[in-house]
Amino acid sequence: MNEQVQDSFNFKTEVKQLLHILVHSLYKDRDIFLRELVSNASDAMTRMHFEMLTNRDVLDPDAELAIHVEVPEVAEGEPKQIIIKDSGIGMTKDELVTNLGTIAQSGAREFLAKMGEDETLDPGDVIGQFGVGFYSVFMIADEVRVVSRSYKKRAKAAVWISDGSESFRVEPAEKEDRGTEIHIILKKDAEEFANEWKLKQIVKKHSDFVRYPVYVGDDKEQANRQESLWRKSPSDVTAEEYKQFYQQMTMDFEEPVATVHFASDMPVNVRALLFVPKKREGGILAARKEPGVMLYSHNVLIQEYCTDLLPNWLSFVDGVVDSEDISLNVSRETVQSNRIMAQLAKTVKGRVLRELKKLATDEPEKYVSFWGEFGRFFKEAVATDFSAKEDVLPLFRYVSSKSDGKLTSLDEYIERMPESQTEIYYVLGDSIKSVANSPHLDPFKARDLEVLYWVDPIDPFVSPMLAEYKEKKLRNVDDASIELPELAEEAAEDKPESKLEEADFNRVIGRFVTTLGSRVTEVRASKVLKNSPIRLVSPEDETNRDMQRIQRILDQNYEVPKKIVEVNRNHPLIANLAHLVSDSPDNELINLTIEQLYDSALVQEGLHPNPTEMVPRIQQLLELATAS
Ligand code: ADP
Ligand code: MG
């Protein structure tokens, strides 16, 4: 009815703020606007490509998928212009309104937060990461007109117009062919960009590997290489080319931790170029919006986010897999059930794992940062996917009682085991510091046995699934039934003469029982403790002890589990306590000390619901200690 009426809209608040920054600040790296617009054009054409796999009833089905960058002639004194054209999927009037202005933009908010954090940041380095790349055009534009016509045959062309301030408007427009044109009216101080030579340089620098041809001006030769780097022999590709390819594909400006490039013809034909990003989040979300690798056949993109080739726990790997053995019209369903795909998946996973192992051996420092970033994925895999164990366990790393703060693998642990040791020992807790002092380590230290520190909050979830590795049982050191070799010589030599009479010791045990009551299941003498006064061990029938930590972490109706208290009769503190119990059984220090010993032990176990509750008691103890 009122098609001729122009509609005016306000930008979402966060977009307004973002635009304000872009319009009013001076930036050094403004040429990234072109990278963002070319990337959007490329996305729009990829969507067109996929639409046409199943639907040829579209506007201009035979149009070449290409990008044209032009510098139109303008009259003397008129502001200079640039136009960027694509033959992509286009936008209807409604889509122009939502996509370029009224959709809620969490990305804009994150961008603003990031910029606020660090004043030295250049927006060009970060804007693409937040899904708001389009707006970077306002660094160089006084006005932008987006003229678009959707691939849907019945849709009409429309134009979106804005000067990057509060609002934009949308009007009907004249455009016969499919796709989008971005008309940029340049700011006075950005006229340098109205130069074909310069634009070509920018395309080469930032968009060389875009998968559609980019033409600048009337030049018939494309400005970008549009090269399938993965089809080249690894020996013909430079480090710089890998880096550029990765950055242009992902818009992640951190260098990848690992690059996997390989070709093979048996058992399946495959050319692949894969990357392990440095960070879990960030840049990778920019251009690549979902997990999965790009699947090509005969150099034609078949799936943009193929998740069938790598297990979930490797979903952070990105890149290209190209196989001539899969057919071009392979649909989503057949991709999953296809025998070739299964072989392809096996090959690709094998190569990635091999590369990670190589990274661990050749560049241990890089591996440490990789493990910090992605180790969680592997641990989750163990907890959820039985078949993953064999693949991921060799990649696990822990700090241990003998690793000197460094990370060690299960294999290295096994290599260091003395012949008499048959099991792998680990201690669960909240931090390396707390477990390093765990009383459970006493007998292991005394026998020079290595213990792995499992201090990641996810470790208690993993431990029930990790019964053994390479036929060695994994044992939690708080397990009272662990049998350790006798300490023969030491027992004779420096085992301190127990100064405690049997009767005195029993009286102390009695006080523990009456003080702690039903909070514990038993109090008994320890056979193993050396440097610690007490420890808590699990009753043998307790099946879910690792889950207790999880419940505490998740704060789910957590109740402190009932443990066995083992008391070290040779410890000076226990001896002192025994004398107090004998000489002045009513001394308030006795109960306070027992309570505090118990609380401290809970903290060390990672089982205390709220350690700050101990503070008043500690204060009371200090008062008593300083009073005399
Ligand atoms: P992103 O590309 O990360 O989604 P942008 O701010 O660059 O964020 O673009 C916003 C949206 O505008 C895109 O998601 C897309 O829907 C739309 N868009 C931008 N440019 C084009 C284009 N050339 N053709 C079709 N749609 C486009
Ligand atoms: Mg974009």
Side-chain angles (χ1 to χ4, degrees), residues 589 592-593 595-597 599-600 603 608 610-626:
L589 258 176
L592 287 173
T593 305
E595 289 285 358
Q596 187 56 45
L597 280 171
D599 266 4
S600 303
V603 172
H608 203 295
N610 182 10
T612 51
E613 278 170 9
M614 309 185 318
V615 173
R617 187 193 312 112
I618 293 175
Q619 210 157 313
Q620 219 179 334
L621 283 163
L622 290 174
E623 273 172 33
L624 290 170
T626 48

Side-chain angles (χ1 to χ4, degrees), residues 503-517 519-520 523 565 567 577-595:
D504 288 338
F505 184 59
N506 286 340
R507 262 198 295 277
V508 178
I509 297 271
R511 286 299 290 264
F512 268 89
V513 173
T514 48
T515 309
L516 298 175
R519 284 179 282 167
V520 300
V523 181
V565 180
V567 182
L577 202 57
H579 295 139
L580 267 182
V581 172
S582 306
D583 302 346
S584 50
D586 296 329
N587 192 321
E588 59 180 325
L589 258 176
I590 299 171
N591 285 1
L592 287 173
T593 305
I594 291 174
E595 289 285 358

Side-chain angles (χ1 to χ4, degrees), residues 140-195:
I140 55 134
D142 264 339
E143 184 179 281
V144 178
R145 298 167 164 259
V146 182
V147 187
S148 198
R149 175 138 187 192
S150 166
Y151 73 100
K152 292 173 192 148
K153 279 180 161 171
R154 297 181 49 196
K156 300 205 168 70
V159 56
W160 176 103
I161 304 165
S162 178
D163 61 2
S165 58
E166 303 281 297
S167 63
F168 63 89
R169 60 183 205 276
V170 183
E171 298 170 9
E174 289 296 318
K175 180 168 163 57
E176 296 303 318
D177 50 351
R178 184 192 73 215
T180 302
E181 294 175 15
I182 319 275
H183 294 244
I184 303 167
I185 322 290
L186 289 167
K187 284 184 179 181
K188 196 98 202 111
D189 71 4
E191 291 196 333
E192 68 202 78
F193 290 106
N195 173 325

